[in-house]
CSV table of all heavy atoms in Angstrom, one decimal:
chain,number,residue,atom,x,y,z
A,8,GLN,N,-26.3,-18.6,7.6
A,8,GLN,CA,-25.4,-17.8,8.3
A,8,GLN,C,-23.9,-18.1,8.0
A,8,GLN,O,-23.1,-17.3,7.8
A,8,GLN,CB,-25.6,-18.0,9.9
A,8,GLN,CG,-24.7,-17.2,10.8
A,8,GLN,CD,-25.1,-15.8,11.0
A,8,GLN,OE1,-26.3,-15.5,10.9
A,8,GLN,NE2,-24.2,-15.0,11.4
A,9,ALA,N,-23.6,-19.4,7.9
A,9,ALA,CA,-22.3,-19.9,7.6
A,9,ALA,C,-21.9,-19.5,6.2
A,9,ALA,O,-20.7,-19.1,6.0
A,9,ALA,CB,-22.2,-21.4,7.8
A,10,GLN,N,-22.8,-19.5,5.3
A,10,GLN,CA,-22.5,-19.1,3.9
A,10,GLN,C,-22.2,-17.6,3.9
A,10,GLN,O,-21.2,-17.2,3.2
A,10,GLN,CB,-23.7,-19.4,3.0
A,10,GLN,CG,-23.4,-19.0,1.6
A,10,GLN,CD,-24.6,-19.3,0.7
A,10,GLN,OE1,-25.3,-20.3,0.9
A,10,GLN,NE2,-24.8,-18.5,-0.3
A,11,VAL,N,-22.9,-16.8,4.5
A,11,VAL,CA,-22.7,-15.3,4.5
A,11,VAL,C,-21.3,-15.1,5.2
A,11,VAL,O,-20.5,-14.3,4.7
A,11,VAL,CB,-23.8,-14.6,5.2
A,11,VAL,CG1,-23.4,-13.1,5.5
A,11,VAL,CG2,-25.1,-14.6,4.4
A,12,THR,N,-21.1,-15.7,6.3
A,12,THR,CA,-19.8,-15.5,7.0
A,12,THR,C,-18.6,-15.9,6.1
A,12,THR,O,-17.6,-15.2,6.0
A,12,THR,CB,-19.8,-16.3,8.3
A,12,THR,OG1,-20.8,-15.8,9.2
A,12,THR,CG2,-18.4,-16.1,9.1
A,13,ALA,N,-18.7,-17.0,5.4
A,13,ALA,CA,-17.7,-17.4,4.4
A,13,ALA,C,-17.5,-16.4,3.3
A,13,ALA,O,-16.4,-16.0,2.9
A,13,ALA,CB,-18.0,-18.8,3.8
A,14,GLU,N,-18.6,-15.8,2.8
A,14,GLU,CA,-18.5,-14.8,1.8
A,14,GLU,C,-17.8,-13.5,2.3
A,14,GLU,O,-17.0,-12.9,1.6
A,14,GLU,CB,-19.9,-14.4,1.3
A,14,GLU,CG,-20.6,-15.5,0.5
A,14,GLU,CD,-22.1,-15.3,0.2
A,14,GLU,OE1,-22.6,-14.2,0.7
A,14,GLU,OE2,-22.7,-16.1,-0.5
A,15,LEU,N,-18.1,-13.1,3.5
A,15,LEU,CA,-17.5,-12.0,4.2
A,15,LEU,C,-16.0,-12.3,4.4
A,15,LEU,O,-15.1,-11.4,4.2
A,15,LEU,CB,-18.2,-11.6,5.4
A,15,LEU,CG,-19.6,-11.0,5.2
A,15,LEU,CD1,-20.4,-10.9,6.5
A,15,LEU,CD2,-19.5,-9.6,4.5
A,16,ASP,N,-15.7,-13.5,4.9
A,16,ASP,CA,-14.3,-13.9,5.1
A,16,ASP,C,-13.5,-13.7,3.8
A,16,ASP,O,-12.4,-13.3,3.8
A,16,ASP,CB,-14.2,-15.3,5.6
A,16,ASP,CG,-14.6,-15.5,7.0
A,16,ASP,OD1,-14.8,-14.5,7.7
A,16,ASP,OD2,-14.8,-16.6,7.4
A,17,ASP,N,-14.1,-14.0,2.6
A,17,ASP,CA,-13.5,-13.9,1.3
A,17,ASP,C,-13.2,-12.4,1.1
A,17,ASP,O,-12.1,-12.1,0.5
A,17,ASP,CB,-14.4,-14.5,0.2
A,17,ASP,CG,-13.7,-14.3,-1.1
A,17,ASP,OD1,-12.6,-14.9,-1.3
A,17,ASP,OD2,-14.3,-13.6,-2.0
A,18,LEU,N,-14.1,-11.5,1.4
A,18,LEU,CA,-13.9,-10.1,1.2
A,18,LEU,C,-12.7,-9.6,2.0
A,18,LEU,O,-11.8,-9.0,1.5
A,18,LEU,CB,-15.1,-9.3,1.7
A,18,LEU,CG,-14.9,-7.8,1.6
A,18,LEU,CD1,-16.1,-7.1,0.9
A,18,LEU,CD2,-14.7,-7.2,3.0
A,19,TRP,N,-12.6,-10.1,3.3
A,19,TRP,CA,-11.5,-9.7,4.1
A,19,TRP,C,-10.1,-10.2,3.6
A,19,TRP,O,-9.1,-9.6,3.7
A,19,TRP,CB,-11.7,-10.0,5.6
A,19,TRP,CG,-12.9,-9.3,6.2
A,19,TRP,CD1,-14.1,-9.9,6.6
A,19,TRP,CD2,-13.1,-7.9,6.3
A,19,TRP,NE1,-14.9,-8.9,7.0
A,19,TRP,CE2,-14.3,-7.7,6.8
A,19,TRP,CE3,-12.2,-6.8,6.0
A,19,TRP,CZ2,-14.8,-6.4,7.1
A,19,TRP,CZ3,-12.7,-5.5,6.3
A,19,TRP,CH2,-14.0,-5.3,6.8
A,20,ALA,N,-10.2,-11.4,3.0
A,20,ALA,CA,-9.0,-12.1,2.4
A,20,ALA,C,-8.5,-11.2,1.2
A,20,ALA,O,-7.3,-11.0,1.0
A,20,ALA,CB,-9.3,-13.5,2.0
A,21,ARG,N,-9.5,-10.7,0.4
A,21,ARG,CA,-9.2,-9.9,-0.7
A,21,ARG,C,-8.6,-8.5,-0.2
A,21,ARG,O,-7.6,-8.0,-0.9
A,21,ARG,CB,-10.4,-9.6,-1.6
A,21,ARG,CG,-10.7,-10.9,-2.4
A,21,ARG,CD,-11.8,-10.7,-3.4
A,21,ARG,NE,-13.1,-10.5,-2.7
A,21,ARG,CZ,-14.0,-9.5,-2.9
A,21,ARG,NH1,-13.7,-8.6,-3.9
A,21,ARG,NH2,-15.1,-9.4,-2.2
A,22,VAL,N,-9.1,-8.0,0.9
A,22,VAL,CA,-8.5,-6.8,1.4
A,22,VAL,C,-7.0,-7.0,1.8
A,22,VAL,O,-6.1,-6.3,1.4
A,22,VAL,CB,-9.3,-6.2,2.6
A,22,VAL,CG1,-8.5,-5.1,3.3
A,22,VAL,CG2,-10.7,-5.8,2.2
A,23,SER,N,-6.8,-8.1,2.5
A,23,SER,CA,-5.4,-8.5,2.9
A,23,SER,C,-4.5,-8.7,1.7
A,23,SER,O,-3.4,-8.2,1.7
A,23,SER,CB,-5.5,-9.8,3.8
A,23,SER,OG,-6.1,-9.6,5.0
A,24,ARG,N,-5.0,-9.4,0.7
A,24,ARG,CA,-4.2,-9.6,-0.5
A,24,ARG,C,-3.9,-8.3,-1.2
A,24,ARG,O,-2.7,-8.1,-1.7
A,24,ARG,CB,-4.9,-10.6,-1.4
A,24,ARG,CG,-4.1,-11.1,-2.6
A,24,ARG,CD,-4.7,-12.3,-3.3
A,24,ARG,NE,-6.1,-12.0,-3.8
A,24,ARG,CZ,-7.2,-12.6,-3.2
A,24,ARG,NH1,-7.1,-13.4,-2.2
A,24,ARG,NH2,-8.4,-12.4,-3.7
A,25,SER,N,-4.8,-7.4,-1.2
A,25,SER,CA,-4.6,-6.1,-1.9
A,25,SER,C,-3.5,-5.3,-1.2
A,25,SER,O,-2.6,-4.7,-1.8
A,25,SER,CB,-5.8,-5.3,-2.0
A,25,SER,OG,-6.3,-4.8,-0.8
A,26,VAL,N,-3.5,-5.3,0.1
A,26,VAL,CA,-2.5,-4.6,0.9
A,26,VAL,C,-1.1,-5.3,0.7
A,26,VAL,O,-0.1,-4.6,0.5
A,26,VAL,CB,-2.9,-4.6,2.4
A,26,VAL,CG1,-1.7,-4.1,3.3
A,26,VAL,CG2,-4.1,-3.8,2.6
A,27,ALA,N,-1.1,-6.6,0.7
A,27,ALA,CA,0.2,-7.3,0.6
A,27,ALA,C,0.8,-7.1,-0.8
A,27,ALA,O,2.1,-7.1,-1.0
A,27,ALA,CB,0.0,-8.8,0.9
A,28,THR,N,0.0,-7.0,-1.8
A,28,THR,CA,0.5,-6.9,-3.2
A,28,THR,C,0.5,-5.4,-3.7
A,28,THR,O,1.0,-5.2,-4.8
A,28,THR,CB,-0.4,-7.7,-4.2
A,28,THR,OG1,-1.7,-7.2,-4.1
A,28,THR,CG2,-0.3,-9.2,-3.8
A,29,GLY,N,0.0,-4.5,-2.9
A,29,GLY,CA,0.0,-3.1,-3.4
A,29,GLY,C,-0.9,-2.9,-4.5
A,29,GLY,O,-0.6,-2.1,-5.4
A,30,ASP,N,-2.1,-3.5,-4.4
A,30,ASP,CA,-3.1,-3.4,-5.5
A,30,ASP,C,-4.3,-2.6,-5.1
A,30,ASP,O,-5.3,-3.1,-4.6
A,30,ASP,CB,-3.5,-4.8,-5.9
A,30,ASP,CG,-4.4,-4.9,-7.1
A,30,ASP,OD1,-5.0,-3.9,-7.5
A,30,ASP,OD2,-4.6,-6.0,-7.6
A,31,PRO,N,-4.2,-1.3,-5.3
A,31,PRO,CA,-5.3,-0.4,-4.9
A,31,PRO,C,-6.6,-0.7,-5.7
A,31,PRO,O,-7.7,-0.5,-5.1
A,31,PRO,CB,-4.9,1.0,-5.2
A,31,PRO,CG,-3.8,0.8,-6.3
A,31,PRO,CD,-3.2,-0.5,-6.0
A,32,ASP,N,-6.6,-1.2,-6.9
A,32,ASP,CA,-7.8,-1.6,-7.6
A,32,ASP,C,-8.5,-2.7,-7.0
A,32,ASP,O,-9.7,-2.7,-6.8
A,32,ASP,CB,-7.5,-1.9,-9.1
A,32,ASP,CG,-7.0,-0.7,-9.9
A,32,ASP,OD1,-7.4,0.5,-9.5
A,32,ASP,OD2,-6.2,-0.9,-10.8
A,33,LEU,N,-7.8,-3.8,-6.5
A,33,LEU,CA,-8.4,-4.9,-5.8
A,33,LEU,C,-9.0,-4.4,-4.5
A,33,LEU,O,-10.1,-4.7,-4.1
A,33,LEU,CB,-7.3,-6.0,-5.5
A,33,LEU,CG,-7.8,-7.2,-4.7
A,33,LEU,CD1,-9.0,-7.9,-5.4
A,33,LEU,CD2,-6.7,-8.1,-4.5
A,34,TYR,N,-8.2,-3.5,-3.8
A,34,TYR,CA,-8.7,-2.9,-2.6
A,34,TYR,C,-10.0,-2.2,-2.8
A,34,TYR,O,-11.0,-2.4,-2.1
A,34,TYR,CB,-7.6,-2.0,-2.0
A,34,TYR,CG,-8.0,-1.3,-0.7
A,34,TYR,CD1,-7.8,-2.0,0.5
A,34,TYR,CD2,-8.4,0.0,-0.6
A,34,TYR,CE1,-8.1,-1.4,1.7
A,34,TYR,CE2,-8.7,0.6,0.6
A,34,TYR,CZ,-8.5,-0.1,1.8
A,34,TYR,OH,-8.8,0.5,3.0
A,35,LEU,N,-10.1,-1.3,-3.8
A,35,LEU,CA,-11.3,-0.5,-4.1
A,35,LEU,C,-12.4,-1.4,-4.5
A,35,LEU,O,-13.6,-1.0,-4.3
A,35,LEU,CB,-11.0,0.5,-5.1
A,35,LEU,CG,-10.1,1.7,-4.7
A,35,LEU,CD1,-9.7,2.6,-5.8
A,35,LEU,CD2,-10.9,2.6,-3.6
A,36,SER,N,-12.2,-2.6,-5.1
A,36,SER,CA,-13.2,-3.5,-5.5
A,36,SER,C,-14.0,-4.1,-4.3
A,36,SER,O,-15.1,-4.6,-4.5
A,36,SER,CB,-12.7,-4.6,-6.4
A,36,SER,OG,-12.0,-5.6,-5.6
A,37,THR,N,-13.5,-3.9,-3.1
A,37,THR,CA,-14.2,-4.4,-1.9
A,37,THR,C,-15.0,-3.4,-1.3
A,37,THR,O,-15.7,-3.6,-0.3
A,37,THR,CB,-13.2,-4.9,-0.9
A,37,THR,OG1,-12.4,-3.9,-0.3
A,37,THR,CG2,-12.2,-6.0,-1.5
A,38,TYR,N,-15.1,-2.2,-1.9
A,38,TYR,CA,-15.9,-1.1,-1.4
A,38,TYR,C,-16.9,-0.6,-2.4
A,38,TYR,O,-16.7,-0.7,-3.6
A,38,TYR,CB,-15.0,0.2,-1.1
A,38,TYR,CG,-14.1,0.0,0.1
A,38,TYR,CD1,-12.8,-0.6,0.0
A,38,TYR,CD2,-14.5,0.4,1.3
A,38,TYR,CE1,-12.0,-0.7,1.1
A,38,TYR,CE2,-13.7,0.3,2.5
A,38,TYR,CZ,-12.5,-0.3,2.3
A,38,TYR,OH,-11.7,-0.4,3.4
A,39,HIS,N,-18.0,-0.1,-1.9
A,39,HIS,CA,-19.0,0.6,-2.7
A,39,HIS,C,-18.3,1.8,-3.3
A,39,HIS,O,-17.5,2.4,-2.6
A,39,HIS,CB,-20.2,1.0,-1.8
A,39,HIS,CG,-21.3,1.5,-2.6
A,39,HIS,ND1,-21.4,2.9,-3.0
A,39,HIS,CD2,-22.5,1.0,-3.1
A,39,HIS,CE1,-22.5,3.1,-3.6
A,39,HIS,NE2,-23.2,2.0,-3.7
A,40,PRO,N,-18.7,2.2,-4.5
A,40,PRO,CA,-18.0,3.4,-5.1
A,40,PRO,C,-18.1,4.7,-4.2
A,40,PRO,O,-17.3,5.6,-4.3
A,40,PRO,CB,-18.7,3.6,-6.4
A,40,PRO,CG,-19.3,2.3,-6.8
A,40,PRO,CD,-19.6,1.6,-5.4
A,41,ASP,N,-19.2,4.8,-3.4
A,41,ASP,CA,-19.4,6.0,-2.6
A,41,ASP,C,-19.0,5.7,-1.1
A,41,ASP,O,-19.4,6.5,-0.2
A,41,ASP,CB,-20.8,6.4,-2.6
A,41,ASP,CG,-21.3,6.8,-4.0
A,41,ASP,OD1,-20.5,7.4,-4.7
A,41,ASP,OD2,-22.4,6.5,-4.4
A,42,ALA,N,-18.2,4.7,-0.8
A,42,ALA,CA,-17.9,4.3,0.5
A,42,ALA,C,-17.1,5.4,1.2
A,42,ALA,O,-16.3,6.2,0.6
A,42,ALA,CB,-17.0,3.0,0.5
A,43,ILE,N,-17.2,5.5,2.5
A,43,ILE,CA,-16.6,6.5,3.4
A,43,ILE,C,-15.6,5.8,4.3
A,43,ILE,O,-15.8,4.7,4.9
A,43,ILE,CB,-17.7,7.2,4.3
A,43,ILE,CG1,-18.8,7.8,3.4
A,43,ILE,CG2,-17.0,8.2,5.2
A,43,ILE,CD1,-18.2,8.9,2.5
A,44,PHE,N,-14.5,6.5,4.5
A,44,PHE,CA,-13.4,6.1,5.4
A,44,PHE,C,-13.4,7.1,6.5
A,44,PHE,O,-13.4,8.3,6.3
A,44,PHE,CB,-12.0,6.1,4.7
A,44,PHE,CG,-10.9,6.0,5.7
A,44,PHE,CD1,-10.5,4.8,6.2
A,44,PHE,CD2,-10.2,7.1,6.1
A,44,PHE,CE1,-9.4,4.7,7.0
A,44,PHE,CE2,-9.1,7.1,6.9
A,44,PHE,CZ,-8.7,5.8,7.4
A,45,VAL,N,-13.4,6.6,7.8
A,45,VAL,CA,-13.4,7.5,8.9
A,45,VAL,C,-12.3,6.9,9.9
A,45,VAL,O,-12.4,5.7,10.3
A,45,VAL,CB,-14.7,7.5,9.7
A,45,VAL,CG1,-14.6,8.4,10.9
A,45,VAL,CG2,-15.8,8.0,8.8
A,46,SER,N,-11.4,7.8,10.3
A,46,SER,CA,-10.5,7.4,11.3
A,46,SER,C,-10.7,8.4,12.5
A,46,SER,O,-10.2,9.5,12.5
A,46,SER,CB,-9.0,7.6,10.8
A,46,SER,OG,-8.1,7.3,11.9
A,47,ALA,N,-11.5,7.9,13.5
A,47,ALA,CA,-11.7,8.7,14.7
A,47,ALA,C,-10.4,8.9,15.4
A,47,ALA,O,-10.3,10.0,16.0
A,47,ALA,CB,-12.8,8.0,15.5
A,48,ARG,N,-9.6,7.9,15.4
A,48,ARG,CA,-8.3,8.0,16.1
A,48,ARG,C,-7.4,9.1,15.5
A,48,ARG,O,-6.5,9.7,16.2
A,48,ARG,CB,-7.6,6.7,16.2
A,48,ARG,CG,-7.4,6.0,14.9
A,48,ARG,CD,-6.9,4.6,15.1
A,48,ARG,NE,-5.5,4.5,15.4
A,48,ARG,CZ,-4.5,4.6,14.5
A,48,ARG,NH1,-4.7,4.8,13.3
A,48,ARG,NH2,-3.2,4.5,14.9
A,49,ARG,N,-7.5,9.4,14.2
A,49,ARG,CA,-6.7,10.5,13.6
A,49,ARG,C,-7.5,11.7,13.2
A,49,ARG,O,-7.0,12.6,12.6
A,49,ARG,CB,-6.0,9.9,12.3
A,49,ARG,CG,-5.0,8.8,12.7
A,49,ARG,CD,-4.2,8.4,11.5
A,49,ARG,NE,-5.0,7.9,10.4
A,49,ARG,CZ,-4.7,7.9,9.1
A,49,ARG,NH1,-3.6,8.3,8.7
A,49,ARG,NH2,-5.6,7.4,8.2
A,50,GLY,N,-8.8,11.7,13.4
A,50,GLY,CA,-9.7,12.8,13.1
A,50,GLY,C,-9.8,13.1,11.6
A,50,GLY,O,-9.8,14.2,11.1
A,51,ILE,N,-10.0,12.0,10.8
A,51,ILE,CA,-10.1,12.0,9.3
A,51,ILE,C,-11.4,11.4,8.9
A,51,ILE,O,-11.8,10.4,9.3
A,51,ILE,CB,-8.9,11.3,8.7
A,51,ILE,CG1,-7.6,11.9,9.0
A,51,ILE,CG2,-9.1,11.2,7.2
A,51,ILE,CD1,-6.4,11.1,8.6
A,52,THR,N,-12.0,12.1,7.9
A,52,THR,CA,-13.1,11.5,7.2
A,52,THR,C,-13.0,11.9,5.7
A,52,THR,O,-12.7,13.0,5.4
A,52,THR,CB,-14.5,11.9,7.8
A,52,THR,OG1,-15.5,11.2,7.0
A,52,THR,CG2,-14.8,13.3,7.7
A,53,ARG,N,-13.1,10.9,4.8
A,53,ARG,CA,-13.1,11.1,3.4
A,53,ARG,C,-13.6,9.9,2.7
A,53,ARG,O,-13.8,8.9,3.3
A,53,ARG,CB,-11.6,11.4,3.0
A,53,ARG,CG,-10.6,10.4,3.4
A,53,ARG,CD,-9.2,11.0,3.1
A,53,ARG,NE,-8.1,10.2,3.7
A,53,ARG,CZ,-7.0,10.6,4.0
A,53,ARG,NH1,-6.7,11.9,3.9
A,53,ARG,NH2,-6.1,9.9,4.6
A,54,THR,N,-13.8,10.0,1.4
A,54,THR,CA,-14.2,8.8,0.7
A,54,THR,C,-13.0,7.8,0.7
A,54,THR,O,-11.8,8.2,0.8
A,54,THR,CB,-14.6,9.1,-0.8
A,54,THR,OG1,-13.4,9.5,-1.5
A,54,THR,CG2,-15.7,10.1,-0.8
A,55,VAL,N,-13.3,6.5,0.5
A,55,VAL,CA,-12.3,5.5,0.4
A,55,VAL,C,-11.3,5.8,-0.8
A,55,VAL,O,-10.1,5.7,-0.7
A,55,VAL,CB,-12.9,4.1,0.4
A,55,VAL,CG1,-11.8,3.1,0.1
A,55,VAL,CG2,-13.6,3.8,1.7
A,56,ALA,N,-11.9,6.2,-1.9
A,56,ALA,CA,-11.1,6.6,-3.1
A,56,ALA,C,-10.1,7.7,-2.8
A,56,ALA,O,-9.0,7.7,-3.2
A,56,ALA,CB,-12.0,7.0,-4.3
A,57,GLU,N,-10.6,8.7,-2.0
A,57,GLU,CA,-9.7,9.8,-1.6
A,57,GLU,C,-8.6,9.3,-0.7
A,57,GLU,O,-7.4,9.7,-0.7
A,57,GLU,CB,-10.5,10.9,-0.9
A,57,GLU,CG,-11.4,11.7,-1.8
A,57,GLU,CD,-12.3,12.6,-1.1
A,57,GLU,OE1,-12.6,12.4,0.1
A,57,GLU,OE2,-12.8,13.6,-1.7
Side-chain angles (χ1 to χ4, degrees):
Q8 177 86 21
Q10 179 178 326
V11 168
T12 300
E14 292 170 358
L15 291 167
D16 287 348
D17 180 65
L18 175 133
W19 298 115
R21 287 185 291 132
V22 172
S23 293
R24 190 167 52 252
S25 72
V26 170
T28 60
D30 186 344
D32 293 330
L33 177 59
Y34 183 79
L35 288 169
S36 76
T37 68
Y38 287 89
H39 185 279
D41 299 322
I43 302 298
F44 168 82
V45 178
S46 176
R48 55 189 282 280
R49 294 188 303 156
I51 295 171
T52 183
R53 53 189 170 208
T54 68
V55 171
E57 290 169 338

